[in-house]
Amino acid sequence: MIEELLPDPVVAVEAYGTDERDDAGLYSVDAGHAGLYPEEAGHAGLYPEEAALVAHAVPKRRREFTLVRACARRAMEKLGVPPQPLLPGERGAPRWPAGLTGSMTHCDGYCAAALVRAADLASLGIDAEPHGPLPEGVLESVSLPGERVRLRELAGQHPAVHWDRLLFSAKESVYKAWFPLTGKWLDFSEADIAIHVDPEGPPGGTLRAELLVPGPLVGGVRRGAFEGRWTVQGGLVATSVTVPHA
């Protein structure tokens, strides 16, 4: 799913699974997508320094933390980079190996990692969410008035899509692409996102985020907007944002 939203240089590895074990005691993982063996989803798949970070976490948190890193390490291998620990840096952003940049996401039943050589993209962000409405009151706290107007118009044209959840996911992807370039916080109110629908295929399309604060300098050029893509399928909504060098 997520690879459909990303340009060719990006390597995406994803895993579908549940939060429960089956009768054999193994996690349900779709190896066709992630290339992961079920036993790789276990807690033993973490490096010691990673395991220490979730030693006191609830089982669900440990499973997601482990599986998304298994996806990231498989992506490293595909790029010819030896697997290594992935530790959080400033504001929890992953500290990627030298020469790589990327993004990770996880929600109930789904994990994904997307990596690319830093020479091919300046930054990227991915996010996946359950395709359902946001809790009451959340939309007002994460959106601008103009965005809510556009969401109402989209809902009138395509009522099967939970546009509030899609906008939230897009904001997450924008932030994940923004932070590695700036090292600064970006508030929900500081990016105005317009969502466009593809005329064909499964529900999906493009998005454009106009930055309402000074954007990052990329290749000596101040970026005032980010571009991305979105899709809805398999009970999930997924978004991506990529920032080219030029």
Side-chain angles (χ1 to χ4, degrees):
M1 177 179 69
I2 205 77
E3 73 275 7
E4 300 171 10
L5 307 180
L6 295 164
D8 287 340
V10 181
V11 172
V13 177
E14 58 189 357
Y16 292 84
T18 67
D19 287 329
E20 302 297 332
R21 294 182 179 225
D22 61 19
D23 292 339
L26 299 175
Y27 297 112
S28 172
V29 178
D30 184 340
H33 285 273
L36 299 174
Y37 295 102
E39 57 268 26
E40 290 184 276
H43 187 55
L46 294 176
Y47 287 84
E49 53 267 59
E50 293 173 328
L53 297 173
V54 290
H56 303 292
V58 299
K60 180 178 183 294
R61 165 63 176 155
R62 289 200 302 269
R63 288 193 290 270
E64 292 176 340
F65 185 92
T66 301
L67 187 53
V68 77
R69 278 161 175 76
C71 290
R73 282 190 268 274
R74 185 56 54 86
M76 289 181 203
E77 291 178 343
K78 289 176 178 288
L79 287 168
V81 176
Q84 53 198 276
L86 281 176
L87 302 175
E90 189 178 358
R91 293 189 181 272
R95 298 206 302 261
W96 297 109
L100 298 183
T101 189
S103 183
M104 300 189 294
T105 186
H106 56 77
C107 62
D108 286 348
Y110 182 79
C111 292
L115 275 72
V116 67
R117 296 191 183 282
D120 292 327
L121 277 181
S123 188
L124 68 92
I126 62 170
D127 186 72
E129 305 281 338
H131 184 222
L134 289 174
E136 185 176 354
V138 172
L139 178 62
E140 287 71 23
S141 67
V142 302
S143 63
L144 298 166
E147 291 174 325
R148 294 195 290 274
V149 170
R150 294 194 293 271
L151 293 190
R152 287 193 293 270
E153 294 172 351
L154 287 166
Q157 299 164 3
H158 306 278
V161 176
H162 293 287
W163 295 103
D164 55 346
R165 183 74 69 168
L166 175 54
L167 179 68
F168 177 82
S169 178
K171 297 260 182 175
E172 291 289 303
S173 286
V174 166
Y175 176 75
K176 291 177 182 180
W178 157 276
F179 186 78
L181 297 173
T182 65
K184 298 179 181 179
W185 177 256
L186 183 71
D187 193 78
F188 287 116
S189 65
E190 293 176 330
D192 187 356
I193 297 179
I195 299 168
H196 306 283
V197 180
D198 284 341
E200 299 177 356
T206 61
L207 61 92
R208 179 178 174 86
E210 297 287 345
L211 301 173
L212 304 181
V213 293
L217 280 172
V218 180
V221 178
R222 182 77 64 184
R223 296 298 176 89
F226 289 169
E227 305 280 350
R229 294 197 59 82
W230 63 272
T231 187
V232 175
Q233 52 183 288
L236 298 168
V237 56
T239 58
S240 74
V241 168
T242 55
V243 183
H245 285 290

